Amino acid sequence: MFRRTKICSAAVMAVGGVLAVGPAFGQPQLERVEITGSSIRRIDAEAALPVQVIKKEDIARSGATSVTDLLQRLTYVQGSFVESAGVGGGAGGVTTVSLHNLGDTRTLVLLNGHRMAQFGGQTLTGFAAAMDLNALPLAAIERIEVLTDGASALYGADAIAGVINFITRRNTDEGDVSVGFSFPRGGAREKRVSATKGFGKLEQDGFNVLLSLSHDERTRLDSTERDFGNSAEVRFNHAGKSYRVQQVTAAAIPANAYHDNGTPADDSDDFLFNPYYVANGRCPDKTFLVSDFGDYCAFNFVGELEVYPARKRTSVLGSLNMKIGDHTPYVDVLYSESVQNSRIAPVPGVISIAAGSPLHNTYLLPNGVAGDSEAYYRIYDLGNRSYEDKATFVDFSTGSKGQLLGWDYNAFYAHSQSESVQNIAGLPGALAVARVANSGLLDPFVGPGQQSAAGVAALNSINYKGYWDGGISKLDSVGVRASAEVLTLPAGPMMLGTGVSFQRESFSSRPSLYAQGRLADPVAGTLCDPLATSGPTQCDQRFGDAAQSIPYSSSRNSYSAFGELIAPAAKGLEFITSLRFDRYDDFGKATTAKGGFRWQPNPQLMVRGSVGTGFRAPTLPQVNAPRQTYGVTFNDYTCGPELLAIAASLGATCRPGTSQYDVVAAGNTELKPEKSRQRSLGLRFEPGRDVTLGADLWYVRIKNNIGQLTEEEVFANPQLYANSWTTRTDTGTGNVYVAFLADNKNLGTDSLTGLDIDATARARLPFASLTSRFALTYMIREQRQLTPTGRKYSAIGGGDEALGVVTFRWLGSWANTFQHGRWAHTFTTNFRSGYLDATSTVEELDASGNPTGNYEDIRLPVKRHVTLDWQTQWNPRKDMVVSVGLLNVFNTKPPLSISSGGGNRGQQFGYDDRYYSSVGRTAYVNASYKF
């Protein structure tokens, strides 16, 4: 029955290294509480909406070391951005969460019920326009409430995917100290410490002060420590054949060179070659032979990656609560700082080689290159490109809760801001590199460490080290919410909740002068002349990765009001209705509504359901950012006839061979807001006091989906998307290349349907008590449009490659905890479905492993992934807990993936870093002491 038993207590169980949660059934409660998803404070927390509760003790049992780590173990979390996917220097160290693969920008993250500022490093495409989870200290969290049904009337119609509310500790005079260590093989090792202490008892002393401090550090993990992800050339077997696939970058050391075959006006017979390979019959170290657009040597950039960056995080939380009659004024302050250091392969780029120059006469003329040429070079002697990403987050909230004139109320003011700062090294200016090359001090055709002392000194003199880019996001909000019983009906009291709020949101992009392309000498900081086309005052940009960011600032105000009504219609049956009104000063008005029911015909069964609408305005950068460069494509592409015609029509050329292309992006003032419709139907069944079963069927439809066309789709159909192309001039060579225009658009309509299932059972065994918990999210259907009138795509199981992402058919976990005395042993199986990889061009190998020259396009099946975690928790005394465990006990490797592209992906190759961790088996120990 639906008793408030321990097994139903929030139906939450943290296990091994994976957390699985169920319905919010709680133990008997003596006070009204406000549960995420409703503004009405009530004793019976199990309502019409599916709210999952994760308690502090469950977090402690999970083995999770961060908020990000914890949330990624939930079966209904899919499509988030994780740290390893940021390898490449463009993510700012951010981590986010996405419910049901609906996107992190549609998942609202709250702290103690109020909104927080989006990440200060968000981009103009909408990437990272979400709450940075690194800012939240896990040690200070009392519980987490997850509303998996979207478009909340209370918190915002823009929470289309749902709401995650982090509730911090408060109103305790206890203290605790915790330490922990994690030990993966080869790197990514962690150490952490936290301390929390409360002073005063609210009821007796009239006040309570709580202070919490936490700090953690992680070492880097190099790709060379993992044999499944240390090479840009992967060999594998499939369907009885042997193949190799290469992630190609032509910029190498020693450099490859461009050969026009004596016909400068005709590109059809041009090719790349490597002078070192011609002279020695083999490619140099750190490269491999590529027979595409000629025979040249590609650099193994994957072997230079740090697949998990080093990181340090510190947070301080302070809370003051006072008791004044029926009122509880409060002040909460959170400050956190996260510093992440990541390094990738040395910078690649192109250097012009003039006919008749010493470099031309020594290396190119003997190989038949008569005219001007180019060297595709990687400046290894500068060291790896390094990125230091520092994110600072401040959140301040104050207000009062209590009862006034028969109403439960909460009046508040909150201010939060997120600032992102990125410092770089190993990325010189393109013109500066050209000047060193033209001076004769730089020889791109020699190997690592063979540059002259004067050449190394010249390179070091142009190596820019310092601030590159950043931004700051701010949010101020003020509001009041209240609820009360307004009418007594035959079946029970009718309850009303209402509230109003005001928000001011602002964002400022703060690129450096170097990032803006306004410096003639980046190292010296000398300003340039924007009109100069040559000479010492010409504006310089990054070598190999030109950027010309434009600073901008924008803000908006919004107002909202809502009402919510819970009306019991009969014994065990109640209806919930809510209405919300929002007004944006830049996107007008929106009225959204939600209705639901909760029916409990008997103590063993509860059925619930809801329907609603949502509204989400585009982010400030998505609307207001000026057009600017936005890095390069994830994939390498070969220029076909259609793209060649597009380039010619724009007065540009294609990149030679198989190459990455420049990306240009821009805000769009013509964007329309997203609008959603959602439905859910769920049930809870408790056939006995030791068994709980549950299922929630959900559906979400999003109209006017805001995003960009995927590069995979545009490059596959250049003429179909003729408006998605522009040009980009290479600063170092002056060549004009065709570039991908990834501007913001209203793409069309997305609709997803899924099922969340959970089951919990407990049994008393002769030697222990057993608690078993199963959780599964099953994606039933997905349809996404890239254009308003275009075809519908699905990424379930890999599905349509045009989407560039994967939606897993199912994600699940099964945990079993044996409790005896002061010991608890938990074994958790985590599993996710396989999928079809994106199509890749592979080369067949003969029986001896030699390339045959035969190429095939294949879609490799990516295997389902299963891991096992173990944890033992020991309570030697009431005030002490020691936990030891192994995550990924059998050191299961990520499944083989040979695709190289996809949205929000890092530079790793051989596995997909968006979905799988390279950390492997990890031993850990945590200990805490209460006082």
Side-chain angles (χ1 to χ4, degrees):
M1 295 187 298
F2 289 117
R3 303 169 184 167
R4 304 304 189 206
T5 58
K6 286 186 178 181
I7 191 168
C8 296
S9 178
V12 179
M13 186 183 307
V15 284
V18 169
L19 195 66
V21 297
F25 300 134
Q27 294 181 355
Q29 303 176 56
L30 301 180
E31 62 176 342
R32 296 179 186 270
V33 295
E34 183 180 293
I35 296 295
T36 299
S38 174
S39 63
I40 297 175
R41 298 172 65 86
R42 57 196 308 207
I43 293 175
D44 188 1
E46 182 62 28
L49 301 179
V51 177
Q52 326 292 331
V53 182
I54 308 167
K55 293 184 176 181
K56 182 174 178 59
E57 53 267 32
D58 305 315
I59 296 172
R61 293 195 200 106
S62 71
T65 61
S66 67
V67 168
T68 301
D69 189 22
L70 178 72
L71 295 182
Q72 290 305 311
R73 303 171 188 217
L74 305 178
T75 61
Y76 43 78
V77 169
Q78 186 175 172
S80 309
F81 187 83
V82 295
E83 283 179 294
S84 59
V87 171
V94 67
T95 64
T96 65
V97 61
S98 165
L99 295 174
H100 290 147
N101 208 24
L102 289 167
D104 51 17
T105 59
R106 303 188 184 109
T107 301
L108 179 59
V109 178
L110 305 173
L111 181 64
N112 296 322
H114 70 265
R115 287 172 172 257
M116 294 175 285
Q118 298 173 346
F119 180 54
Q122 63 182 282
T123 71
L124 56 87
T125 64
F127 168 72
M131 172 60 197
D132 180 16
L133 298 180
N134 285 314
L136 300 177
L138 188 62
I141 302 301
E142 180 67 27
R143 72 181 186 276
I144 304 170
E145 297 172 353
V146 184
L147 170 64
T148 55
D149 187 79
S152 166
L154 170 60
Y155 297 113
D158 58 341
I160 292 173
V163 179
I164 302 178
N165 191 8
F166 291 87
I167 311 297
T168 58
R169 300 171 65 179
R170 62 181 64 240
N171 299 339
T172 178
D173 63 350
E174 294 182 344
D176 65 67
V177 176
S178 300
V179 295
F181 303 89
S182 298
F183 306 97
R185 176 183 60 83
R189 296 186 174 182
E190 295 187 15
K191 53 185 178 182
R192 46 197 175 270
V193 61
S194 66
T196 302
K197 182 65 176 77
F199 304 91
K201 295 184 178 180
L202 192 61
E203 297 298 329
Q204 291 94 325
D205 302 322
F207 77 94
N208 176 260
V209 175
L210 184 76
L211 299 174
S212 179
L213 171 68
S214 61
H215 178 79
D216 65 84
E217 298 182 8
R218 183 185 62 208
T219 63
R220 73 174 194 253
L221 175 63
D222 295 332
S223 64
T224 52
E225 297 288 345
R226 299 293 182 262
D227 59 5
F228 53 80
N230 61 6
S231 178
E233 182 180 63
V234 173
R235 296 179 177 233
F236 65 99
N237 296 318
H238 172 66
K241 295 182 180 180
S242 296
Y243 298 97
R244 74 170 182 179
V245 61
Q246 299 169 319
Q247 177 67 350
V248 174
T249 170
I253 180 169
N256 294 298
Y258 181 74
H259 200 310
D260 64 10
N261 207 27
T263 55
D266 181 7
D267 295 335
S268 62
D269 56 356
D270 297 349
F271 61 91
L272 292 176
F273 73 100
N274 189 282
Y276 180 97
Y277 176 78
V278 174
N280 297 277
R282 64 177 182 84
C283 282
D285 294 341
K286 299 182 181 295
T287 68
F288 52 86
L289 181 64
V290 175
S291 298
D292 170 28
F293 200 71
D295 289 335
Y296 61 96
C297 301
F299 186 76
N300 180 24
F301 70 94
V302 176
E304 303 290 325
L305 298 178
E306 294 176 3
V307 293
Y308 256 83
R311 184 196 64 212
K312 293 183 179 180
R313 291 185 300 203
T314 302
S315 65
V316 181
L317 174 73
S319 176
L320 168 64
N321 289 265
M322 295 177 289
K323 188 70 173 178
I324 304 175
D326 292 333
H327 311 283
T328 306
Y330 64 90
V331 176
D332 294 331
V333 179
L334 170 65
Y335 172 85
S336 65
E337 179 180 289
S338 175
V339 180
Q340 177 178 288
N341 290 279
S342 58
R343 300 197 309 165
I344 60 175
V347 62
V350 183
I351 298 174
S352 295
I353 307 293
S357 67
L359 289 175
H360 180 273
N361 293 337
T362 303
Y363 297 103
L364 305 185
L365 188 60
N367 287 288
V369 181
D372 296 342
S373 184
E374 297 168 347
Y376 290 78
Y377 180 52
R378 193 168 294 263
I379 313 181
Y380 199 86
D381 294 280
L382 272 182
N384 285 21
R385 286 167 284 176
S386 64
Y387 303 84
E388 180 192 72
D389 293 299
K390 180 178 179 180
T392 304
F393 180 78
V394 177
D395 185 88
F396 169 83
S397 63
T398 184
S400 181
K401 303 176 182 178
Q403 291 188 326
L404 182 66
L405 302 177
W407 289 75
D408 295 311
Y409 79 93
N410 180 0
F412 67 93
Y413 164 75
H415 168 82
S416 70
Q417 65 181 52
S418 170
E419 183 174 6
S420 175
V421 172
Q422 184 178 81
N423 295 306
I424 62 172
L427 288 148
L431 295 177
V433 172
R435 284 192 291 267
V436 173
N438 293 335
S439 71
L441 295 175
L442 175 64
D443 187 344
F445 297 106
V446 299
Q450 297 177 5
Q451 207 66 243
S452 68
V456 172
L459 288 175
N460 288 332
S461 71
I462 64 171
N463 186 8
Y464 179 85
K465 299 178 181 179
Y467 177 66
W468 170 252
D469 203 353
I472 185 167
S473 174
K474 297 181 180 180
L475 179 68
D476 289 274
S477 56
V478 60
V480 60
R481 301 192 291 262
S483 65
E485 296 179 5
V486 293
L487 185 66
T488 300
L489 301 177
M494 177 184 291
M495 305 184 71
L496 172 68
T498 187
V500 293
S501 65
F502 166 79
Q503 294 182 147
R504 179 169 179 80
E505 177 186 2
S506 64
F507 176 79
S508 295
S509 172
R510 299 179 172 181
S512 65
L513 292 175
Y514 186 19
Q516 295 177 48
R518 294 178 56 191
L519 296 179
D521 186 337
V523 174
T526 306
L527 291 173
C528 65
D529 178 1
L531 300 179
T533 58
S534 63
T537 62
Q538 185 179 356
C539 296
D540 205 354
Q541 296 180 36
R542 285 200 312 198
F543 177 70
D545 183 15
Q548 198 168 4
S549 301
I550 302 174
Y552 63 94
S553 297
S554 57
S555 63
R556 67 161 59 114
N557 296 332
S558 63
Y559 311 81
S560 64
F562 74 89
E564 179 183 16
L565 191 67
I566 298 179
K571 182 179 181 180
L573 175 65
E574 66 181 21
F575 292 96
I576 299 93
T577 60
S578 62
L579 190 69
R580 182 179 178 91
F581 173 80
D582 290 280
R583 182 181 181 277
Y584 293 77
D585 61 7
D586 57 350
F587 274 93
K589 307 172 184 178
T591 300
T592 54
K594 194 150 197 168
F597 74 93
R598 178 187 185 274
W599 178 46
Q600 189 173 337
N602 57 59
Q604 290 79 32
L605 178 66
M606 188 271 289
V607 181
R608 64 187 173 202
S610 71
V611 296
T613 58
F615 171 94
R616 189 181 79 88
T619 68
L620 290 171
Q622 282 180 318
V623 177
N624 300 296
R627 179 179 288 197
Q628 54 197 278
T629 56
Y630 193 70
V632 294
T633 58
F634 289 101
N635 287 314
D636 298 316
Y637 296 96
T638 301
C639 186
E642 288 190 15
L643 183 54
L644 188 62
I646 292 284
S649 69
L650 296 173
T653 61
C654 288
R655 292 280 183 177
T658 302
S659 304
Q660 290 176 299
Y661 279 73
D662 292 306
V663 179
V664 176
N668 183 357
T669 58
E670 302 300 319
L671 286 176
K672 299 176 183 178
E674 295 180 344
K675 296 182 179 181
S676 70
R677 296 177 181 269
Q678 30 232 128
R679 299 191 290 267
S680 68
L681 180 64
L683 63 86
R684 315 302 306 172
F685 180 50
E686 193 172 308
R689 63 180 302 161
D690 290 334
V691 178
T692 301
L693 307 173
D696 285 285
L697 178 67
W698 53 268
Y699 165 82
V700 179
R701 180 178 182 268
I702 304 169
K703 184 181 178 181
N704 298 330
N705 172 33
I706 299 170
Q708 303 81 39
L709 293 171
T710 64
E711 64 177 66
E712 292 87 351
E713 176 70 4
V714 173
F715 274 88
N717 304 279
Q719 294 287 354
L720 180 63
Y721 302 105
N723 293 328
S724 293
W725 302 101
T726 185
T727 62
R728 183 70 184 143
T729 302
D730 186 285
T731 303
T733 65
N735 293 335
V736 180
Y737 295 110
V738 66
F740 171 43
L741 177 59
D743 51 345
N744 296 313
K745 302 175 182 291
N746 288 112
L747 299 181
T749 299
D750 291 357
S751 60
L752 289 85
T753 305
L755 182 66
D756 299 329
I757 303 171
D758 65 89
T760 304
R762 187 175 66 179
R764 180 78 54 184
L765 304 177
F767 59 91
S769 63
L770 168 65
T771 302
S772 184
R773 174 77 170 94
F774 176 83
L776 178 76
T777 293
Y778 185 86
M779 301 297 290
I780 298 172
R781 189 183 184 194
E782 177 182 63
Q783 292 183 329
R784 300 182 189 261
Q785 286 181 301
L786 294 179
T787 58
T789 59
R791 59 163 290 194
K792 296 177 179 179
Y793 298 88
S794 172
I796 294 179
D800 293 302
E801 300 172 82
L803 296 177
V805 296
V806 173
T807 299
F808 287 90
R809 175 67 76 177
W810 42 259
L811 295 164
S813 67
W814 181 34
N816 293 278
T817 299
F818 297 88
Q819 178 84 43
H820 60 97
R822 297 179 181 272
W823 297 84
H825 311 279
T826 301
F827 301 88
T828 303
T829 302
N830 321 293
F831 47 91
R832 64 175 57 206
S833 61
Y835 63 91
L836 281 177
D837 210 355
T839 299
S840 297
T841 300
V842 299
E843 185 176 13
E844 187 178 354
L845 304 176
D846 62 22
S848 300
N850 298 314
T852 63
N854 297 324
Y855 290 88
E856 299 180 23
D857 289 337
I858 66 171
R859 293 197 71 182
L860 185 72
V862 178
K863 298 180 180 179
R864 64 185 64 180
H865 194 244
V866 181
T867 61
L868 175 69
D869 299 332
W870 154 74
Q871 185 198 65
T872 290
Q873 190 176 82
W874 176 43
N875 294 76
R877 40 192 282 180
K878 290 184 178 180
D879 56 4
M880 184 178 294
V881 179
V882 179
S883 301
V884 296
L886 278 178
L887 304 178
N888 194 357
V889 172
F890 297 110
N891 199 27
T892 305
K893 299 178 181 179
L896 175 66
S897 168
I898 59 173
S899 67
S900 58
N904 294 342
R905 185 168 181 176
Q907 292 191 1
Q908 296 92 320
F909 191 56
Y911 67 101
D912 200 317
D913 54 87
R914 295 172 295 179
Y915 313 122
Y916 306 99
S917 171
S918 58
V919 173
R921 182 192 295 121
T922 301
Y924 68 88
V925 57
N926 297 317
S928 64
Y929 172 71
K930 294 182 179 180
F931 58 92

